[in-house]
Amino acid sequence: MRAAVCFSHFQLPKCQIHTFSGSWWEKIHNFNKKRSNIYGLQGGNTNSRRWTQKSLSTNTEGIAKNILSRKTTNIGQQITDVTSFTHTNLNTTKIKINESKSIHLEQKISENKDLSKLVTIFVFDIETTGFSRENERIIEIALQDLSGGVNSTFETLVNPDKIVTNPHIHGISTYMVNRPGIPRMKDLIPILIDYVESRQKPGGQTLFIAHNGKAFDVPFLISEFNRCSFEIPPDWEFADTMTLAREIMKVEGSKLSSKSLQALREYYGIPVIGKAHRAMADVNVLALVLQRMTCDLKLTVSGLLENYAFTASELSNNSKKKKNSR
DNA sequence: GGCCCTCTTTAGGGCCTT
C-alpha cells in the first residue's frame, strides 16, 4: 500500500506554470527559455551546457536521434523553441535490470521527502505497424524525461523485420526502418533500459506516461519485451493520460468533447508540433497536454502515483484474469 | 484489446491507440 500522503506544495494555484512540483515543470520551462535556438547535430557549449557528440550515426531517421527541436506553449501562451540532446551508448552489452535496487518509495513519502526529487517521469509514445501486438511490431519509440536538461530525450526508429503496411499513418516506410543502423527491438531494449537507468534518481521511482497507454502502448511494449526474452523492469511504473482526460470531461462545464490526443491538444490551444503520429511529435504534445491536465485536476506527483499508476505485471495479471474469466 | 458508460452487470456499443 502506498502511503496516502499528498504534498500540498505541489498543488499550486491554477494557471501557474508549475503543477506537479516546483521542480520538473520549472526545470523544463526554464530550460526552454534558456535554449531558444535550434541546433544541428554538432556538439558545442551553449549556456554553460556542455554537449557530447554521440557515437553513432545521428541522421534524422537513425537510432536515438540526438537533437530534438520542439515548440512548447505554457499557460501564459509563451512559445519557445527547445533543443534536447540525447546521447545513447550503443556499445551497451550489459543488460542491467537491477532487481535488487531497493525502492522504498512509501518510506520516503512517510519521511516526508520531496517526492518530485525521487520520481523520474517520462512521457513516451510508440509507432507501430498496426494495432495488434501479436502480429504487428514497434517501428519507432520516443521518450522525454520531464526533468529536462541534457540527454532528456530518446528517439529511435526500430527495424520490425516486416513490411510497414501503414506508412500513410505515420510516414514511416519500410525503406526507412530497414536501412543499416536501425536497431531491431532485441538490440534496442538493453540500450533503452540503460538510458532509463541513466536518468533514474538513486532510490527513486520511474513513471512512464502515454496516451491510451493502458490499452495500447504498455501492452505493446510488454509484448515486444517478452518476444525478445526480456521483462519490463519491475521498478517501471506507468500511467495513462486517457484516464486523466476522462476526469477532465467529468468536470462541470468542460468543453472537452473527445479524449483523443488531438482533441486535448486543440482543447488546450497547443499548436501542432511536427508531424502528428511521429513518436517524438506526439510526445511533445503529450508533455504539454499533461502539464495542462495536471493543472486543471490539481494533480500532484504523489496523487498521480497513488491513484493512476500501474505496473507492467499488474496489467499483465489483470489481462490474464479477464481472459480466464471468459 | 482495453476501458468506460449506460437505455448495465445474465451486455453491448463507442472511443482510442497504429
Side-chain angles (χ1 to χ4, degrees):
Chain A
M1 286 218 15
R2 293 193 177 95
V5 176
C6 185
F7 295 117
S8 60
H9 69 278
F10 289 163
Q11 294 182 329
L12 296 171
K14 199 170 182 178
C15 296
Q16 286 195 1
I17 293 168
H18 327 291
T19 303
F20 272 172
S21 72
S23 58
W24 59 270
W25 279 127
E26 184 175 32
K27 284 178 186 173
I28 195 170
H29 180 66
N30 289 340
F31 179 63
N32 293 351
K33 287 196 290 190
K34 285 179 181 176
R35 303 280 298 282
S36 59
N37 297 320
I38 298 173
Y39 297 87
L41 299 180
Q42 71 277 13
N45 190 347
T46 308
N47 291 333
S48 300
R49 293 173 188 272
R50 190 171 296 280
W51 291 25
T52 307
Q53 186 84 36
K54 200 168 76 62
S55 58
L56 191 71
S57 167
T58 57
N59 62 63
T60 55
E61 309 301 346
I63 184 169
K65 187 168 68 178
N66 288 29
I67 302 299
L68 160 72
S69 65
R70 69 178 176 91
K71 292 184 177 180
T72 68
T73 302
N74 62 32
I75 296 169
Q77 299 300 304
Q78 180 178 358
I79 301 174
T80 57
D81 293 331
V82 62
T83 61
S84 301
F85 179 36
T86 297
H87 174 79
T88 303
N89 179 9
L90 295 168
N91 294 321
T92 300
T93 54
K94 59 192 177 198
I95 303 170
K96 296 187 296 185
I97 305 178
N98 190 356
E99 296 186 14
S100 64
K101 183 185 292 179
S102 179
I103 305 295
H104 297 299
L105 192 59
E106 291 81 2
Q107 184 179 345
K108 296 287 186 185
I109 292 172
S110 65
E111 290 172 357
N112 204 26
K113 298 284 178 64
D114 186 345
L115 186 58
S116 68
K117 293 177 181 174
L118 295 171
V119 182
T120 303
I121 301 177
F122 291 100
V123 170
F124 82 102
D125 187 46
I126 60 173
E127 302 302 321
T128 70
T129 55
F131 291 124
S132 167
R133 56 181 181 268
E134 293 182 359
N135 303 319
E136 308 297 348
R137 295 289 180 264
I138 291 175
I139 52 175
E140 189 174 43
I141 296 179
L143 293 80
Q144 182 181 355
D145 179 350
L146 295 182
S147 341
V150 177
N151 299 345
S152 62
T153 62
F154 183 102
E155 178 183 20
T156 182
L157 290 173
V158 182
N159 186 335
D161 282 323
K162 71 188 297 270
I163 301 295
V164 179
T165 56
N166 58 349
H168 57 286
I169 298 293
H170 35 57
I172 301 171
S173 66
T174 303
Y175 169 77
M176 289 166 66
V177 294
N178 277 301
R179 291 185 305 168
I182 306 297
R184 290 173 171 78
M185 201 64 198
K186 63 181 175 60
D187 300 317
L188 175 65
I189 289 172
I191 298 170
L192 179 64
I193 291 171
D194 264 11
Y195 170 73
V196 170
E197 273 196 355
S198 75
R199 307 293 300 182
Q200 288 174 318
K201 285 108 177 170
Q205 187 64 296
T206 308
L207 180 64
F208 295 82
I209 299 175
H211 194 61
N212 202 25
K214 186 175 283 186
F216 182 74
D217 300 71
V218 180
F220 219 116
L221 208 56
I222 293 171
S223 178
E224 288 281 68
F225 268 59
N226 292 341
R227 184 176 62 81
C228 298
S229 302
F230 285 88
E231 287 188 4
I232 299 284
D235 59 339
W236 289 13
E237 292 210 48
F238 300 90
D240 187 350
T241 44
M242 185 78 80
T243 310
L244 304 185
R246 290 191 186 98
E247 298 291 328
I248 296 287
M249 292 179 80
K250 290 178 187 172
V251 173
E252 189 174 349
S254 172
K255 293 181 179 177
L256 180 63
S257 57
S258 163
K259 302 178 288 291
S260 71
L261 184 58
Q262 181 180 344
L264 287 163
R265 182 186 61 74
E266 291 172 353
Y267 177 71
Y268 286 120
I270 296 166
V272 177
I273 305 166
K275 186 183 186 309
H277 293 303
R278 284 302 296 265
M280 188 52 84
D282 285 355
V283 162
N284 291 330
V285 169
L286 185 56
L288 295 169
V289 165
L290 174 65
Q291 176 186 0
R292 302 294 297 271
M293 285 198 294
T294 54
C295 181
D296 282 356
L297 295 171
K298 297 180 175 61
L299 189 60
T300 66
V301 172
S302 59
L304 187 62
L305 282 168
E306 288 170 22
N307 301 313
Y308 298 98
F310 56 91
T311 64
S313 61
E314 287 170 349
L315 200 61
S316 298
N317 291 337
N318 288 343
S319 180
K320 286 176 186 174
K321 285 179 184 175
K322 285 178 181 174
K323 283 183 180 177
N324 292 334
S325 66
R326 287 172 188 162

